[in-house]
């Protein structure tokens, strides 16, 4: 059976088609979920893609969390459904309280747009189950506010519970503990700044995103 | 935990319905210890214009609105709740709230 991947679209989202194409490439059926839709219907996984939801007004993700679809995404996550937030989607998930911490402006006010090497730190998450610990993936980053931060208590919790999913090999943005991606306590909600949907073809320079999105689809099929 | 400091003004004018109108100003700043790259960049730039000896530059944002409430304490309570739930991200930001009586009754 073909897995259905819901792709959340806010006004200002701009990575929904890349995410949908990547899902299609992996044999899934993408379905756009407009932000005013109060339901995610019967999707098997949810991607909150990158962009500038609601113009990033106030703070990235601050307004998006009030969109009706986010209540449905939260409910889907609570019931164990796989959810991944990419870039702005990661910011939305932190603002919505589905992931801890916050993403602040990059160190040195530096906008980064470059391939980044990230190391897989755990494989017991919906985004990394088909990867191996220690794998180094080359995936583009493209952000101004990707500098992950959290309280020392939260950081200790993330480490103790093996919830740092990806770390940068070379930190591009000042992120605490080189964190590029984290997961929820239930390990079914993952947020990351790199864009795996942009690393799905040799023509794009890397296919390393496939193992991550393939993991998501494998998790969706369970 | 968001740390909020509150400045207060004089008594506000009273509307016909008993509510009073207050001008609220919320200043949002990055919490101490959180890197402020915009502030740092401005601080490093000022000496090139000859402004030496400037320290602790912080960049934030200002949010202003009017609110009707029973009294100043109620207006302040509303603004405080708005800050902790929406206007600031308590992980990285603090708010300074000032509440003053509006210029005229609504």
């Amino acid at each position: 059976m073909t897995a259905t991947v819901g792709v959340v679209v806010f006004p200002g989202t701009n990575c929904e088609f890349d995410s949908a194409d990547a899902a299609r490439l992996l044999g899934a059926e993408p379905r756009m979920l407009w932000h005013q839709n109060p339901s995610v219907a019967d999707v098997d996984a949810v991607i909150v893609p990158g962009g500038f939801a609601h113009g990033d007004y106030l703070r990235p993700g601050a307004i998006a969390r009030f969109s009706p679809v986010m209540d449905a995404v939260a409910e889907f996550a609570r019931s164990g459904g796989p959810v991944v937030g990419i870039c702005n989607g990661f910011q939305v998930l932190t603002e919505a309280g589905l992931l801890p911490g916050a993403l602040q402006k990059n160190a040195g006010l530096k906008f980064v747009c470059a391939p980044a090497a990230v190391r897989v730190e755990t494989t017991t998450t919906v985004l990394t189950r088909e990867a191996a610990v220690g794998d180094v993936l080359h995936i583009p980053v493209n952000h101004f506010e990707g500098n992950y931060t959290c309280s020392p208590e939260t950081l200790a919790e993330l480490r103790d519970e093996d919830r740092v999913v990806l770390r940068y090999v070379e930190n591009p943005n000042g992120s605490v503990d080189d964190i590029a991606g984290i997961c929820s306590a239930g390990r079914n909600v993952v947020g990351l700044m790199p864009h795996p949907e942009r690393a799905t073809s040799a023509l794009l320079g890397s296919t390393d995103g496939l193992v991550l999105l393939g993991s998501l689809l494998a998790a969706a099929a369970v | 935990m968001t740390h909020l400091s509150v400045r207060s003004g004089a008594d506000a004018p009273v509307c016909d319905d008993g509510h009073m109108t207050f001008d609220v100003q919320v200043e949002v700043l990055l919490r101490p210890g959180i890197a402020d790259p915009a502030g740092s960049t401005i601080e490093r730039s000022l000496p090139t214009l000859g402004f030496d000896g400037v320290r602790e530059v912080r960049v934030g944002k200002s949010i202003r609105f009017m609110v009707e409430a029973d009294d100043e304490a109620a207006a302040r309570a509303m603004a405080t709740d708005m800050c902790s739930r929406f206007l600031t991200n308590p992980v990285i930001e603090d708010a300074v709230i000032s509440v003053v009586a509006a210029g005229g009754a609504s």
Side-chain angles (χ1 to χ4, degrees):
Chain A
M1 204 189 80
T2 308
T4 304
V5 177
V7 180
V8 177
V9 183
F10 301 100
T13 295
N14 63 18
C15 296
E16 71 271 37
F17 294 110
D18 290 356
S19 299
D21 282 352
R24 210 175 281 118
L25 181 69
L26 287 161
E29 182 193 329
R31 183 184 304 163
M32 297 300 181
L33 301 171
W34 181 239
H35 77 114
Q36 286 183 322
N37 191 339
S39 160
V40 296
D42 54 353
V43 300
D44 302 303
V46 170
I47 295 177
V48 186
F52 299 86
H54 296 275
D56 275 359
Y57 293 154
L58 191 60
R59 296 180 305 278
I63 313 282
R65 82 167 202 263
F66 296 109
S67 286
V69 75
M70 286 309 297
D71 289 335
V73 170
E75 183 53 40
F76 181 74
R78 265 195 297 278
S79 69
V83 176
V84 58
I86 301 168
C87 198
N88 189 230
F90 186 10
Q91 296 163 339
V92 170
L93 294 180
T94 59
E95 284 282 346
L98 292 176
L99 290 171
L103 293 137
Q104 54 172 335
K105 288 186 178 64
N106 293 348
L109 279 189
K110 194 174 159 198
F111 188 99
V112 294
C113 180
V118 292
R119 192 172 56 245
V120 176
E121 303 287 18
T122 175
T123 56
T124 54
T125 80
V126 294
L127 197 68
T128 52
R129 52 191 297 156
E130 299 200 329
V133 170
D135 278 356
V136 173
L137 308 176
H138 293 85
I139 299 180
V141 290
N142 181 19
H143 60 250
F144 185 54
E145 294 181 286
N147 178 353
Y148 182 78
T149 188
C150 60
S151 68
E153 297 76 27
T154 299
L155 183 60
E157 201 175 290
L158 291 174
R159 286 175 176 161
D160 292 349
E161 297 174 4
D162 194 28
R163 288 168 55 194
V164 178
V165 180
L166 299 168
R167 279 195 175 88
Y168 298 110
V169 174
E170 281 185 50
N171 193 330
N173 56 23
S175 176
V176 65
D177 202 19
D178 300 330
I179 287 174
I182 59 168
C183 69
S184 62
R187 315 192 78 78
N188 62 312
V189 180
V190 176
L192 74 166
M193 289 313 296
H195 286 268
E197 81 282 8
R198 296 187 192 176
T200 53
S201 156
L203 277 175
L204 297 174
S206 170
T207 56
D208 288 356
L210 291 173
V211 69
L212 299 181
L213 296 172
S215 295
L216 180 68
L217 296 183
V222 170
Chain B
M1 192 54 213
T2 309
H3 302 283
L4 303 166
S5 46
V6 177
R7 298 189 199 117
S8 302
D11 289 341
V14 180
C15 302
D16 290 344
D17 61 2
H19 282 134
M20 296 184 290
T21 303
F22 298 88
D23 285 324
V24 179
Q25 182 179 346
V26 176
E27 188 184 23
V28 181
L29 287 167
L30 291 166
R31 294 179 61 179
I34 296 287
D36 180 352
S40 305
T41 302
I42 291 169
E43 189 168 319
R44 283 196 308 273
S45 302
L46 285 169
T48 65
L49 290 174
F51 296 105
D52 293 318
V54 178
R55 295 188 297 123
E56 300 297 318
V57 176
R58 306 287 283 172
V59 174
K61 53 195 154 197
S62 173
I63 302 168
R64 298 173 186 222
F65 52 91
M66 296 174 79
V67 64
E68 284 182 22
D70 287 340
D71 54 34
E72 190 185 304
R76 187 185 308 133
M78 277 174 70
T80 303
D81 195 25
M82 287 179 205
C83 283
S84 60
R85 290 166 57 194
F86 179 37
L87 299 181
T88 71
N89 181 335
V91 178
I92 52 175
E93 294 170 329
D94 282 340
V96 179
I97 298 169
S98 79
V99 177
V100 297
S106 64

